[in-house]
Amino acid sequence: MDKIRNLQAGAREWVWYVIAFVILMIVPFSGSIFWTNLLTEILIMGLAAMSVNLLLGFGGSLPFGHAAFFASGAYATALLIKETNLPFVAVLIIAPVMAAVVGAILGIIITRLYEFYYAIVSAASCMVLWTLIRKVPIFGGDTGITGVEIPEILSSIDAMYIFTIIIVFIVLIFTKILLNSPFGWIQQAIRENPNRVTCTGSNVLRHRYIAFIISSFICGIAGMLFVLHTQSTFPSYAHWVKSGDFVMICILGGVNTFIGPMIGAAALIILQTYITSLTEHWLLFLGISICLLVIFMPSGIMGLAGHLPSKIQSLYRKIRS
Amino acid sequence: MGDTFFEIIGLEKSFRGLKATNNVSLSIKKGEVCSIIGPNGAGKTTLFNLITGLIKPDAGKIYFMGKDITGHSPVDIVHAGIARSFQIVNNFPRFTVYDNIMIAALGYKKLAMKMFTPAKGIAKNEIMELIDRIGLAKEAHSLAGELSHGDQKRLEVGIALASHPSLLLLDEPTAGMSSDEKGGILETIKRVMKESDCTVFLCEHDMKVIFSVSDTIWVLHNGAVVTSGTVDEIRNNSLVKEIYLGEAE
């Protein structure tokens, strides 16, 4: 019985992903360049936030330095395309691997820490990278790297959008499988109670380290996609404020859900776009609306969405009685 | 040395000058229930933490099945065959009972790094059987954090058993339980011992529990072993009475 119920619940979730995929694929045919562009950005930022949520919501850590891996992926892509003659497919593989390498180096220290220390050291190491990017000439200083040429086939907005959807969905499926695997379960158990995990014979330190590298690899993919989308990269990608954006997107969307970061990215970017067009004091209003969202939806948009059916049911019962 | 199943020799541990474990030596024979008693602060939990590698001793040796395991990591000690339950409920509160046991089973099978098979399918029958053995079959899919205290203590034992230990350390398994619940968990412990061929090292406050299950009892006071013996010897030992009742007589 249980097995059947689990299967059904699992299948229903996959059906939602297929529906989302199909709807997203249709967007370019509506002819709206504005929405196609906006959705590309949402998908990329959502992917970066999801890599953060792998450690935040599913690992119980507070990674405040993922801009470092976003920027590593971005700069690696830009430099590989501009400075080498590598085939494009090789760039697609090497760029995220570079981000993972940076993650493997920084993770040695960061993953030994917990809570505030974890957050502060990850933010600090991100700022070290930011300084390096601005000072080392090959990274182009404060002006960054612009005019990154991408293959003909991706040069249209629609093509880039479709390419982004495909890559993002591949990574989403990979992440989903990962979270259901023993690795993913131990990762979540570490969030609940790291000491108990140690006492049942799993190496917590090694586990957190590997998870950190996987997460930085995925964040590197997001950085890479962003460069292909905008064809330029700037030092601000490595600034800790960018890391803060990722964390905020996760909290806004709901850290305890798989798809939360995607929803959070959509909410934040759409909010940003609309408020900017209304007033020049947009940051003020953006801040206030985010405060309100967090106060009234402490478990994020997806958290509220999860409770909604039961709330409607209880309201319905009240009305009937 | 090394011939006995489990042996501690001259174990010492101080916290800021306070000797929590003071030259403790003891040994356990295979297949027995060995208990350790002593008033609060006698150093029972510290001793368990030393054995399971959670803290490192200042001096002394711990031998298990002929191997020196002094100072080994907690993970290595679990794989060597020593598992423990905790005095304070220590599970994964937002996981179901099944998932709690599953985490321990994955640890035992060294599958923590397996990334592309669903965890839920692994050792399913084995896990359900263990849940049945600790008497939580009806609660298998309830959240651990929502179980009654008694059931959480049962789960505590279950998580330890999922590591297939040769030596099972139980840190006050009946703490905070009603007397009905105590009877239940004692039955569970006895049954488990018979079925899974493991030796039990028990730390407990309740004398009734101790006297009903133990083969050997060690008495700990201010971090040091005061005396040891069978149930009858300890029951009639004047020193033990003194430690527990004060020296007012």
Side-chain angles (χ1 to χ4, degrees):
Chain A
M1 247 336 260
D2 277 337
K3 201 168 184 179
I4 296 166
R5 211 179 303 143
N6 281 342
L7 269 177
Q8 279 174 341
R12 213 176 299 147
E13 217 179 330
W14 287 112
V15 168
W16 280 113
Y17 294 137
V18 172
I19 293 173
F21 185 76
V22 170
I23 291 177
L24 286 170
M25 288 297 256
I26 293 171
V27 170
F29 299 105
S30 72
S32 163
I33 294 173
F34 172 75
W35 276 102
T36 312
N37 251 330
L38 201 68
L39 276 172
T40 311
E41 199 176 322
I42 288 172
L43 283 166
I44 296 170
M45 291 305 276
L47 186 66
M50 193 165 269
S51 77
V52 170
N53 201 39
L54 211 54
L55 305 178
L56 180 73
F58 292 101
S61 311
L62 192 51
F64 252 108
H66 264 51
F69 314 124
F70 188 81
S72 302
Y75 273 90
T77 311
L79 285 175
L80 285 169
I81 291 177
K82 286 205 100 165
E83 309 290 335
T84 69
N85 291 320
L86 284 170
F88 185 64
V89 179
V91 174
L92 292 184
I93 295 165
I94 297 172
V97 168
M98 288 306 286
V101 169
V102 175
I105 295 165
L106 298 181
I108 294 171
I109 304 167
I110 296 171
T111 54
R112 281 166 194 276
L113 306 169
Y114 284 87
E115 296 172 5
F116 307 119
Y117 305 99
Y118 186 102
I120 287 170
V121 173
S122 56
S125 49
C126 171
M127 290 312 280
V128 170
L129 204 81
W130 178 70
T131 314
L132 273 177
I133 284 173
R134 289 175 59 220
K135 299 296 174 202
V136 177
I138 192 174
F139 296 118
D142 283 335
T143 48
I145 301 170
T146 50
V148 179
E149 279 180 25
I150 54 172
E152 198 71 29
I153 191 167
L154 289 178
S155 57
S156 80
I157 289 172
D158 290 350
M160 185 57 214
Y161 172 71
I162 302 283
F163 179 72
T164 307
I165 294 180
I166 292 169
I167 298 279
V168 167
F169 268 78
I170 290 172
V171 179
L172 286 192
I173 291 167
F174 164 80
T175 315
K176 187 80 193 163
I177 292 171
L178 187 72
L179 284 172
N180 283 329
S181 73
F183 184 90
W185 274 94
I186 299 279
Q187 168 82 347
Q188 291 170 69
I190 290 171
R191 171 195 70 205
E192 296 289 305
N193 192 342
N195 289 332
R196 195 55 162 140
V197 174
T198 304
C199 290
T200 52
S202 300
N203 191 329
V204 170
L205 188 63
R206 186 182 65 184
H207 207 93
R208 294 182 84 207
Y209 184 59
I210 302 288
F212 194 84
I213 293 174
I214 293 173
S215 168
S216 45
F217 179 80
I218 296 175
C219 203
I221 295 177
M224 174 188 81
L225 287 173
F226 207 69
V227 168
L228 299 179
H229 174 53
T230 60
Q231 292 167 29
S232 49
T233 174
F234 305 102
S236 67
Y237 292 179
H239 200 274
W240 76 269
V241 168
K242 193 86 181 168
S243 316
D245 283 350
F246 297 152
V247 173
M248 197 161 70
I249 287 171
C250 290
I251 292 170
L252 203 58
V255 292
N256 291 321
T257 55
F258 174 67
I259 210 71
M262 274 298 163
I263 307 295
L268 187 79
I269 291 171
I270 292 173
L271 214 62
Q272 224 167 16
T273 313
Y274 275 97
I275 301 179
T276 321
S277 64
L278 290 178
T279 160
E280 59 179 302
H281 305 295
W282 61 279
L283 264 178
L284 177 70
F285 291 97
L286 185 67
I288 292 172
S289 30
I290 286 170
C291 285
L292 289 175
L293 278 174
V294 171
I295 290 168
F296 291 108
M297 303 181 203
S299 47
I301 297 167
M302 283 307 284
L304 186 76
H307 288 139
L308 220 51
S310 67
K311 273 190 181 153
I312 292 170
Q313 267 177 14
S314 68
L315 198 71
Y316 175 70
R317 253 181 254 127
K318 243 183 226 165
I319 294 167
R320 274 190 58 175
S321 63
Chain B
M1 241 170 281
D3 310 331
T4 23
F5 178 66
F6 178 81
E7 190 168 26
I8 295 174
I9 297 160
L11 207 63
E12 304 237 358
K13 179 73 192 177
S14 306
F15 297 109
R16 294 198 197 96
L18 175 79
K19 282 211 161 166
T21 306
N22 187 2
N23 195 17
V24 169
S25 298
L26 58 80
S27 63
I28 302 175
K29 286 196 278 294
K30 191 169 168 49
E32 71 171 352
V33 178
C34 174
S35 298
I36 188 148
I37 60 171
N40 282 329
K44 303 185 293 283
T45 298
T46 305
L47 187 62
F48 272 25
N49 287 342
L50 285 167
I51 296 170
T52 48
L54 290 178
I55 50 180
K56 307 266 176 262
D58 298 334
K61 289 282 175 199
I62 304 169
Y63 294 95
F64 178 58
M65 300 208 287
K67 271 185 293 183
D68 182 359
I69 58 161
T70 321
H72 284 202
S73 76
V75 174
D76 289 343
I77 288 174
V78 173
H79 291 297
I82 301 180
R84 72 176 288 183
S85 77
F86 287 80
Q87 179 183 356
I88 301 157
V89 166
N90 192 357
N91 52 34
F92 308 106
R94 289 196 288 173
F95 284 9
T96 63
V97 168
Y98 182 91
D99 297 341
N100 268 271
I101 303 284
M102 184 180 77
I103 294 298
L106 293 176
Y108 169 70
K109 291 174 187 292
K110 300 190 180 177
L111 291 179
M113 282 294 150
K114 210 173 165 73
M115 291 184 190
F116 299 103
T117 14
K120 285 284 189 183
I122 293 170
K124 198 162 185 166
N125 295 332
E126 201 185 310
I127 294 170
M128 285 312 287
E129 195 191 329
L130 176 54
I131 293 174
D132 194 39
R133 257 163 64 196
I134 54 170
L136 288 178
K138 276 186 196 150
E139 310 285 347
H141 297 287
S142 314
L143 293 183
E146 290 170 359
L147 296 177
S148 71
H149 180 74
D151 284 349
Q152 292 206 31
K153 294 295 267 187
R154 278 168 186 278
L155 177 58
E156 196 59 45
V157 177
I159 294 173
L161 283 173
S163 306
H164 295 259
S166 312
L167 177 63
L168 175 62
L169 271 56
L170 297 173
D171 195 350
E172 301 203 16
T174 70
M177 280 184 159
S178 70
S179 47
D180 282 356
E181 286 175 326
K182 275 182 191 177
I185 199 151
L186 279 180
E187 284 309 309
T188 309
I189 292 171
K190 281 180 191 165
R191 202 174 58 236
V192 162
M193 280 217 46
K194 236 184 262 164
E195 287 170 1
S196 51
D197 183 37
C198 72
T199 308
V200 173
F201 190 20
L202 179 71
C203 152
E204 185 54 68
H205 258 305
D206 191 312
M207 287 302 171
K208 257 192 210 155
V209 173
I210 291 282
F211 290 146
S212 72
V213 297
S214 307
D215 296 312
T216 321
I217 300 173
W218 296 77
V219 183
L220 211 61
H221 186 45
N222 290 337
V225 171
V226 182
T227 180
S228 69
T230 62
V231 171
D232 287 332
E233 284 164 8
I234 296 296
R235 205 196 291 268
N236 300 320
N237 189 312
S238 58
L239 188 64
V240 176
K241 281 182 189 158
E242 213 170 78
I243 290 170
Y244 266 90
L245 302 174
E247 290 156 46
E249 288 177 82

